[in-house]
Amino acid sequence: MKEYEILPCGDTAVLIRFEQKIDPAILRQVTMMANAIKEAEIKGILDLIPAYASILVCIDPLKTDMRSIIAEIEKLKPEKQSEKEEQRMIRIPVLYGRPFAEDLEHVAKHAGISIEEVIRIHTANTYPVYMIGFLPGFPYLGNLDERIHTPRRTEPRTDIPAGAVGIGGSQTGVYPISSPGGWHIIGQTPVKLYDSDQKQPVLLQSGDLIQFYAINEDEYEKIEKAGGKLCL
Amino acid sequence: MFVKVKQSGAVTTIQDTGRYGFQGQGIPVSGAMDPLAMKMANILVGNEENHPVIECIGIGPVLEFSDSVYFAVSGGNFKMQLNDEAIQINHLYLAKKDDVLKITYSASHRSCIIAFAADFDLAPVYGSYATDIKSRIGPYEGRKFKSGDIITLKNVKTKLPNEKKRIMEDYPAKEAVTKIRVIPGPNEDLFTDDGIKIFYQSIYTISPKSDKMGFRLDGETVETTGSHDILSAGIADGSIQITSQQPILMMKDHAATGGYPVIATVIRADFPKASQLMPGDQIQFQMVSIEEAADALKKQNQYLEEKKKVFEKKGIFGRFRR
């Protein structure tokens, strides 16, 4: 049985849509299909945007047409990678609370727990990266502990700085560049998730596992001075 | 040789067809807002269609030339002059040493493209010359030009065949209501029948809150069957997202992914026309099939191919001409 449908997005892209839910099993299907498309080197494909439960395939309509792209994709038999790829575990240092982050108290108050408890919970879980998008290098993370889910701010901030660690509803994540946003900011990382001066500008990729750990101001400064690199 | 930016204009950047291959990492495709104008200007000066160009949005720049170079301006109907003389859009000109090109504004269009018969002496970033100001990616420090900038050119073409014939048709005057053709979906299934009917019957107005990321459309709201939130997914150029307040037509600097349902997507052939709409302009969407979209694009491309043939044709005595 087919696990997906293919829908046109104008004449310059098609959307491969899987069952619409956040689920590691669906993400695996997405990854397998994306790999299969890359390997097939289908003529006229410009770009792929894998997401939670879909892949947008951008095409050049002067080099191919919708019908043949759809037919080529349907021919593919995505398979699991023979060697199971090792998932990367990436530990991200975070200076929780002030002076950078103003919403830690609010998140604690909303959850009815102490600030220390929020930090303990936020650093306890491992978060899978489901997709990258919205901003350059912005990771959509799953698995935030329900106790610290916090509805978004009613008034979005106009300028959240790069490195801000936030909670928005049932999601948590890090802003790679400064941006407006409605998430509660609970901490700040000195690590650059996006650096347009690097050959590989984006630190994280879909499939990575993330863990946050708390640092103090001295450690923050040290990492920042060293260029915002991960301490491996 | 070089071109000196005497006045920067509003948003003047280097662009090409867009940065493909990095949207999966959240990096916007960006590129020329009006891809047809980019192709026309490049063909006029004998370049490849997707050669890097200068894009001017809103108010154009004042540029001074250190030496001779052919150039052409295409796209919106901007007022411009070379030194004190008014010049025309979609014509070929030869700028000489110390000449000043001044592009002011257009009452009816949003952007225009300047192509030079030369290469920029700059390196592409992640495979492209497109500039995305927000992500600070682009060959010129990832930013728009400011007064005093120097743009160095190399490989300047000193001779072009059929100079006098290098003219293209201007864009037709805007209709009272601009008709833009779309293909339904990919999320049409998330809208009620009434919502879909309203979307195609409505005349929307381009909001002043519009930029290269997207055009907000003022007008009737479109009803969804459920929530306006969907699982985030990749976004194509020309997607029309429906938020709880209004439709947003996604332009070239749109985020790579988004979480609002897309009721329909503008066809490639009409994207340039849509990109030129100004605040207050009226727009109505027309549903077409995939085949009609392909035909429209083919027709547009045929015009460009014909012009290319005329421009690059070598006369029998061509090699004797000086």
Side-chain angles (χ1 to χ4, degrees), chain A residues 11 47 67 134 137 194 198, chain B residues 21 25 126 135 189 257 268 291:
Chain A
D11 52 348
D47 210 348
R67 305 254 178 251
F134 165 55
Y194 169 74
Q198 298 299 316
Chain B
Q25 297 180 37
Y126 309 131
S135 325
D189 53 340
T257 64
R268 174 70 158 263
E291 287 73 20

Side-chain angles (χ1 to χ4, degrees), chain A residues 7-13 15 17 20-22 46-54 56 58-62 66-67 131-138 140 177-179 194-202, chain B residues 19-28 39 49 125-126 132 134-137 183-187 189-190 231-237 239 255-258 265-269 290-291 293-294 297-298 301:
Chain A
L7 303 160
C9 304
D11 52 348
T12 60
L15 186 72
R17 190 160 73 179
Q20 290 296 290
K21 61 177 186 186
I22 301 178
L46 294 171
D47 210 348
L48 295 182
I49 311 179
Y52 282 115
S54 66
L56 188 80
C58 300
I59 60 170
D60 181 344
L62 290 170
M66 297 297 261
R67 305 254 178 251
M131 58 183 276
I132 304 285
F134 165 55
L135 296 171
F138 181 90
Y140 287 81
I177 62 173
S178 70
S179 160
Y194 169 74
D195 186 350
S196 59
D197 292 334
Q198 298 299 316
K199 204 169 165 203
Q200 179 51 255
V202 167
Chain B
R19 182 171 289 101
Y20 291 95
F22 289 86
Q23 292 183 89
Q25 297 180 37
I27 295 175
K39 290 184 177 183
E49 284 177 6
V125 183
Y126 309 131
D132 178 42
K134 204 175 163 224
S135 325
R136 288 192 286 271
I137 290 188
I183 292 171
N187 306 122
D189 53 340
L190 300 178
L231 272 190
S232 285
I235 297 174
D237 294 346
S239 295
T257 64
T265 310
V266 174
I267 66 170
R268 174 70 158 263
I290 291 170
E291 287 73 20
L297 186 62
K298 221 181 190 171
N301 207 50

Side-chain angles (χ1 to χ4, degrees), chain B residues 8 12 16 27 97 122 129 151-152 167 176 181 210 224 254 259 281 285:
Chain B
S8 64
T12 307
D16 63 11
I27 295 175
K97 184 176 182 320
L122 293 166
Y129 282 86
I151 309 166
T152 307
I167 297 170
R181 292 169 287 184
S210 297
T224 54
H254 65 79
D281 282 350
F285 298 105

Side-chain angles (χ1 to χ4, degrees), chain B residues 251-266:
Chain B
M251 282 291 137
K252 292 294 283 190
D253 283 354
H254 65 79
T257 64
Y260 294 107
V262 172
I263 190 167
T265 310
V266 174

Side-chain angles (χ1 to χ4, degrees), chain A residues 31-49:
Chain A
T31 309
M32 274 159 49
M33 176 59 100
N35 289 339
I37 294 172
K38 275 181 214 158
E39 274 164 30
E41 291 179 10
I42 299 165
K43 189 180 140 212
I45 292 185
L46 294 171
D47 210 348
L48 295 182
I49 311 179

Side-chain angles (χ1 to χ4, degrees), chain A residues 35-108:
Chain A
N35 289 339
I37 294 172
K38 275 181 214 158
E39 274 164 30
E41 291 179 10
I42 299 165
K43 189 180 140 212
I45 292 185
L46 294 171
D47 210 348
L48 295 182
I49 311 179
Y52 282 115
S54 66
I55 304 170
L56 188 80
V57 183
C58 300
I59 60 170
D60 181 344
L62 290 170
K63 295 224 170 85
T64 183
D65 63 81
M66 297 297 261
R67 305 254 178 251
S68 45
I69 281 289
I70 292 172
E72 292 276 355
I73 293 170
E74 281 177 339
K75 266 201 302 208
L76 297 173
K77 305 247 180 306
E79 278 171 33
K80 281 202 187 90
Q81 239 76 351
S82 48
E83 296 158 60
K84 208 178 167 202
E85 266 187 55
E86 193 73 25
Q87 268 187 311
R88 293 197 303 177
M89 169 70 92
I90 292 173
R91 297 183 75 234
I92 295 179
V94 180
L95 176 57
Y96 284 93
R98 294 173 193 279
F100 296 117
E102 295 176 357
D103 300 330
L104 188 57
E105 290 90 348
H106 175 85
V107 171

Side-chain angles (χ1 to χ4, degrees), chain A residues 167-182:
Chain A
I167 289 178
S170 61
Q171 297 184 84
T172 185
V174 186
Y175 282 82
I177 62 173
S178 70
S179 160

